[in-house]
Amino acid sequence: MIKNERQLATAKKQLAVLRKAANALQSAGPSDPMNAVRISSLEADAEKLNMQIETYNKASEGIFDVACLTSVEHVGEELINARIASGLTQEQLAKKASLEAQQIQRWESTLYQTTNLKTLKRIKDIIMSSIGHEKNAVLCGCD
């Protein structure tokens, strides 16, 4: 999951590397019977990375389904996407929550698995408040 602009830049570079490697193998032709397997693997990795980039880009544009926050299964990922969609940086969220930015970074690195329900609700409320007042969240449907 891409959580910030630095990770987005890294993901884009990695995607270019994966695509270049797949293209090089394709142009090498069927000389090595394992090339098809390698190409398939590279393309699958590239597709996963591309989906993460698209998800981050949509969230950056404010496109996020707030109904996704009702699912416990992916609450960490959805809180991060909601934060991005609201336009809040980790630092801004931390300030609104009266926390250090490093705490938000730690929680996001574990997808909020190390937080309790009271904290999750508090973070969700801050993010939802920002979405409601600073951007119009676009409902896009979630899994």
Side-chain angles (χ1 to χ4, degrees):
M1 172 172 207
I2 299 169
K3 301 171 191 145
N4 55 49
E5 291 292 324
R6 182 182 49 80
Q7 289 179 350
L8 176 64
T10 301
K12 286 180 177 180
K13 288 177 187 175
Q14 183 62 31
L15 181 60
V17 168
L18 290 170
R19 287 183 173 157
K20 184 177 179 180
N23 289 338
L25 287 174
Q26 286 175 339
S27 63
S31 59
D32 182 354
M34 289 299 295
N35 272 359
V37 173
R38 291 181 187 114
I39 291 168
S40 177
S41 176
L42 288 168
E43 288 174 344
D45 289 346
E47 181 58 30
K48 287 178 189 175
L49 198 52
N50 192 52
M51 287 175 57
Q52 290 179 19
I53 291 168
E54 287 179 16
T55 298
Y56 182 86
N57 286 336
K58 284 180 183 177
S60 293
E61 295 168 6
I63 301 171
F64 177 74
D65 185 351
V66 295
C68 291
L69 288 177
T70 62
S71 171
V72 175
E73 199 172 314
H74 301 286
V75 71
E77 293 172 10
E78 299 305 338
L79 278 173
I80 294 167
N81 282 333
R83 176 189 55 77
I84 294 165
S86 73
L88 290 174
T89 64
Q90 291 174 332
E91 292 79 15
Q92 291 167 330
L93 175 58
K95 186 175 181 179
K96 287 181 180 240
S98 301
L99 299 166
E100 295 293 324
Q102 291 80 8
Q103 184 60 57
I104 300 296
Q105 291 167 357
R106 282 191 290 272
W107 286 337
E108 287 193 0
S109 73
T110 63
L111 300 177
Y112 286 93
Q113 292 176 1
T114 58
T115 60
N116 59 43
L117 289 175
K118 184 177 178 181
T119 301
L120 286 173
K121 182 181 180 326
R122 186 169 148 229
I123 296 297
K124 179 200 68 105
D125 290 344
I126 292 168
I127 292 170
M128 295 300 290
S129 171
S130 294
I131 288 175
H133 292 101
E134 296 172 21
K135 286 197 175 187
N136 294 322
V138 177
L139 297 181
C140 62
C142 57
D143 298 332

